[in-house]
Amino acid sequence: MEPVVVVRYSEIGLKGKNRGYFEKKLIDNIRKIVKPPEVNKRYGRIIIRLKGMSFEEIKERLRYVFGIHSFSYAYATSHDLDEIKEAVKELLTLSLKDEKTFKVQTKRSYKQFPLTSHELSAYIGAFVLEKFKNLKVDVHNPEITVGIELKEKEAFIFVGKERLYGGFPVGVSGKAILLLSGGIDSPVAGWYMLKRGLKIETLSFLSPPFTSEKSAKKVLDLASILAKYSPEPIKANIVSFTEVQQYIKKNAPDKYSLILQRRSMMRIANKLSRKRHAKALITGENIAQVASQTLSNLASIEDASNVPVLRPLIGFEKIDIVEKAKEIGTYEISILPYIDSCVAFAPKNPATNSSVEILRDLESGLKELHDLEEKAYREIKSYTLGRDL
Ligand code: ATP
Ligand code: MG
């Protein structure tokens, strides 16, 4: 018998004729992120052969692969009953703590096997009862489940399943530009969109010299965390936004300056998305959280974008966003005191109500805005961030 990891995917199983493409992408991403000695598709599962690599190491890396529903440490055996029993005994010995109840669940896709699923479950159940005197059968609510999957050429034996995030393999849904501030929300927004299979590039607006090198490092560190979930390195782009901001601050009513800045960000992000063939922008916006996030202001900001603006956190509670940020490791970086651009140029009383007409009208009087945006765009600095686990 051979130690393997059985990987299960759920949503991608539903995808009709795209299924083959998703499976291929998932295997490809496992190869790049987990770097296992051998991984193959077998009978609707993905099987990683350990071949000397430690299970702990594989497990730690699998967390970063979106598109996986659950996985189990398992033994691949022949159809020989003694070998199956041996595998069950070893796995239970490894995993038992103080559980008192168990059941055996058999899935038999190899129909030529001499016993039915029920018969094999009963047979192995009797064996477990004999070897582990403290265990009792509970078919409805067992503390531990022994799984047996009988396939054509081999059987997979495992105890329990570990859940992962699910979602889709990164890369199957196209590409988007994440507007990544130094705040708590936007890194989490990026994480959720990676989970839906989007490839991302980040774009951050800073205001040197009002923001320091530490602010740049902060957004790059945040992007590096997201890069762990990506099979390919992530590009992180930094815009020096100071001149645009100063120009708006000086030439437009204070209360609209924040929305005007946001519209400039949208236009610069659109330029980048055209160049990089990205089909959408992603923000960490959330309805009603701050002044710029009323419905009318969101509409005024979105008006400046030609591509859809995805806002995965739109209806989240702040407390849940914070919890997710802690879980994925961005929180500790986000709360560092180094500001991104907006804080440095925030108006005292930003308008909570705006209209597209007013903003377009204001912009038509800002004659240099277009050139300043173009200059900021041309001077974007790009960094490539790999996955260093
Ligand atoms: P965050 O915690 O992500 O900063 P927030 O709740 O503070 O979000 P805002 O500051 O209003 O909200 O920003 C809304 C969104 O606009 C951000 O989530 C981000 O996507 C984008 N954004 C704001 N400022 C910047 C910036 N300096 N660089 C890049 N994107 C930004
Ligand atoms: Mg912010």
Side-chain angles (χ1 to χ4, degrees):
M1 61 195 185
E2 182 197 357
V4 301
V5 179
V6 174
V7 173
R8 305 173 193 86
Y9 40 94
S10 54
E11 270 195 272
I12 66 173
L14 304 172
K15 278 291 183 176
K17 65 181 182 345
N18 283 337
R19 183 178 173 142
Y21 170 63
F22 287 136
E23 287 170 339
K24 199 169 157 298
K25 191 74 191 150
L26 181 54
I27 291 180
D28 211 41
N29 290 358
I30 291 175
R31 283 208 175 98
K32 288 184 175 140
I33 296 175
V34 181
K35 300 190 178 78
E38 195 183 318
V39 53
N40 287 303
K41 198 186 135 221
R42 284 275 182 282
Y43 337 95
R45 301 264 184 263
I46 289 171
I47 308 295
I48 298 174
R49 313 259 163 194
L50 264 62
K51 300 207 168 225
M53 188 170 175
S54 91
F55 172 61
E56 288 308 315
E57 199 172 353
I58 289 180
K59 180 173 154 167
E60 167 60 23
R61 295 182 191 182
L62 274 177
R63 280 202 300 134
Y64 295 101
V65 184
F66 288 131
I68 297 175
H69 177 74
S70 71
F71 67 94
S72 303
Y73 178 70
Y75 282 128
T77 68
S78 68
H79 291 160
D80 178 72
L81 283 173
D82 286 336
E83 198 184 344
I84 293 174
K85 283 195 283 190
E86 188 58 29
V88 169
K89 193 176 100 190
E90 278 213 19
L91 284 167
L92 276 175
T93 308
L94 279 174
S95 57
L96 269 180
K97 296 191 183 75
D98 49 9
E99 292 89 347
K100 301 271 183 294
T101 58
F102 82 102
K103 78 168 174 184
V104 180
Q105 194 166 41
T106 303
K107 275 198 190 139
R108 191 188 63 144
S109 52
Y110 176 59
K111 300 296 179 198
Q112 277 83 340
F113 192 80
L115 302 179
T116 66
S117 302
H118 274 305
E119 285 165 352
L120 183 60
S121 293
Y123 177 79
I124 296 295
F127 168 74
V128 172
L129 287 171
E130 180 195 318
K131 292 285 170 198
F132 299 87
K133 300 284 186 216
N134 293 332
L135 284 179
K136 287 194 171 52
V137 175
D138 180 346
V139 288
H140 300 296
N141 221 346
E143 288 168 277
I144 201 161
T145 299
V146 176
I148 302 177
E149 296 194 0
L150 278 171
K151 309 293 188 184
E152 190 189 331
K153 295 211 169 67
E154 51 195 338
F156 297 107
I157 322 297
F158 51 87
V159 171
K161 296 176 184 175
E162 296 193 44
R163 279 294 301 270
L164 283 179
Y165 292 120
F168 292 93
V170 171
V172 297
S173 307
K175 181 170 173 183
I177 305 284
L178 169 67
L179 276 76
L180 179 68
S181 71
I184 294 170
D185 301 341
S186 42
V188 175
W191 186 88
Y192 275 106
M193 290 291 88
L194 281 162
K195 176 155 129 66
R196 295 315 287 175
L198 277 172
K199 233 192 237 179
I200 63 166
E201 229 177 90
T202 67
L203 178 61
S204 304
F205 295 81
L206 301 182
S207 324
F210 304 100
T211 59
S212 71
E213 275 306 305
K214 288 190 170 152
S215 301
K217 181 168 187 308
K218 183 177 175 184
V219 291
L220 293 178
D221 285 348
L222 288 170
S224 293
I225 293 195
L226 296 177
K228 292 184 180 184
Y229 295 87
S230 173
E232 313 291 346
I234 280 187
K235 263 213 177 83
N237 305 280
I238 295 186
V239 188
S240 184
F241 201 43
T242 318
E243 286 183 58
V244 172
Q245 289 177 299
Q246 282 172 327
Y247 180 72
I248 291 173
K249 189 92 186 163
K250 194 159 153 233
N251 296 287
D254 194 54
K255 68 172 184 170
Y256 289 124
S257 67
L258 182 62
I259 305 299
L260 287 166
Q261 284 179 36
R262 287 294 157 83
R263 286 171 61 92
S264 285
M265 286 186 186
M266 288 288 140
R267 284 187 292 266
I268 294 170
N270 269 253
K271 286 175 197 275
L272 185 68
S273 56
R274 268 194 298 280
K275 169 121 181 263
R276 303 285 221 271
H277 307 289
K279 299 281 188 290
L281 307 182
I282 303 165
T283 74
E285 285 162 324
N286 180 273
I287 202 87
Q289 199 187 80
V290 292
S292 62
Q293 296 173 5
T294 61
L295 212 46
S296 72
N297 282 345
L298 289 177
S300 297
I301 294 168
E302 182 159 315
D303 174 64
S305 179
N306 292 317
V307 293
V309 180
L310 309 178
R311 303 178 176 96
L313 307 183
I314 197 72
F316 276 51
E317 296 286 318
K318 188 73 183 187
I319 183 176
D320 295 330
I321 301 173
V322 165
E323 200 171 297
K324 182 52 92 176
K326 285 181 179 163
E327 180 190 321
I328 65 177
T330 53
Y331 182 77
E332 292 303 320
I333 302 171
S334 290
I335 59 171
L336 293 172
Y338 316 118
I339 53 174
D340 60 60
S341 72
C342 276
V343 190
F345 284 88
K348 283 187 195 66
N349 293 304
T352 49
N353 200 4
S354 66
S355 79
V356 170
E357 289 69 31
I358 292 176
L359 293 160
R360 287 186 180 184
D361 194 47
L362 284 171
E363 279 170 357
S364 69
L366 298 174
K367 301 292 181 207
E368 288 164 42
L369 189 58
H370 176 82
D371 286 350
L372 289 171
E373 287 171 2
E374 179 60 26
K375 177 165 179 272
Y377 167 69
R378 271 190 278 111
E379 291 172 1
I380 282 180
K381 287 206 186 80
S382 300
Y383 303 81
T384 303
L385 306 173
R387 322 173 40 265
D388 46 288
L389 288 171

